Amino acid sequence: GFMLAGSRSYSTITNRLNLELDSQLAMNQMENYIMDCNTNLYFNTNTDTLFLINKGSSETTYDVHIFRFTGGNIYYGFGEDKATLNNGTYSSSAPVAADLLVENVTAFSVSYFRADGTEITTADGPKAASAVITMTLTRNSVAYSATKTIALRNKPTISIVQ
């Protein structure tokens, strides 16, 4: 009984540490892209997809980074010059988010905040000062939740579709 209890404890701790490491690696990767976003952050709550739109190689084209939460995983994709701006609206031939970033995800959300600390909850296009990523990972009935606040260097416009 003593050996079994020790083995279960070791397994639980190992699972928790692995989940913590996975979430930190994924959040650090996302932070690198979100922090430097210079045009628009677009989060679609219906599809749990985050689009980061950056200035591209010309005045009318934009690069797109995508983080998509689906099937318990978060996938990443990038497309150079995949978006255009027409009359204040972006149209995109968005790339497929095919590269696995992290697995065992049971919850994922992104929130945005103005410089005064108020949360941006509409698609009215306000400038954001920070973004907060929340993620929960679960493996073998062990769960780990993490939250990361990211200061946005370029104060991009925010669009939220619900």
Side-chain angles (χ1 to χ4, degrees):
F2 178 72
M3 295 294 286
L4 185 59
S7 175
R8 285 185 185 152
S9 177
Y10 175 80
S11 178
T12 300
I13 291 170
T14 300
N15 279 332
R16 182 169 169 76
L17 288 174
N18 287 334
L19 291 173
E20 184 176 347
L21 177 63
D22 288 349
S23 72
Q24 287 176 352
L25 291 172
M27 285 192 170
N28 287 344
Q29 184 71 32
M30 294 173 77
E31 177 182 32
N32 289 336
Y33 293 113
I34 293 171
M35 181 186 309
D36 288 329
C37 182
N38 59 32
T39 303
N40 189 280
L41 289 169
Y42 171 86
F43 188 67
N44 186 326
T45 59
N46 296 321
T47 61
D48 290 325
T49 304
L50 174 63
F51 296 86
L52 289 78
I53 301 171
N54 291 314
K55 292 177 184 166
S57 61
S58 75
E59 286 293 316
T60 58
T61 60
Y62 297 84
D63 297 339
V64 180
H65 296 272
I66 298 175
F67 295 94
R68 183 178 312 255
F69 170 49
T70 183
N73 301 316
I74 295 178
Y75 296 91
Y76 169 75
F78 171 73
E80 188 172 13
D81 295 336
K82 290 291 185 179
T84 56
L85 181 61
N86 299 317
N87 298 323
T89 303
Y90 292 99
S91 59
S92 175
S93 56
V96 175
D99 297 328
L100 180 63
L101 182 64
V102 64
E103 55 189 356
N104 302 309
V105 180
T106 54
F108 172 69
S109 66
V110 182
S111 303
Y112 306 103
F113 296 87
R114 294 181 177 89
D116 65 4
T118 58
E119 185 174 2
I120 299 169
T121 58
T122 62
D124 62 1
K127 301 288 185 176
S130 64
V132 176
I133 300 172
T134 305
M135 186 183 306
T136 301
L137 283 75
T138 305
R139 183 183 306 140
N140 298 332
S141 65
V142 175
Y144 177 78
S145 294
T147 301
K148 186 165 199 145
T149 302
I150 303 165
L152 304 173
R153 292 181 178 153
N154 301 307
K155 309 293 186 270
T157 302
I158 302 300
S159 299
I160 300 170
V161 175
Q162 298 177 340

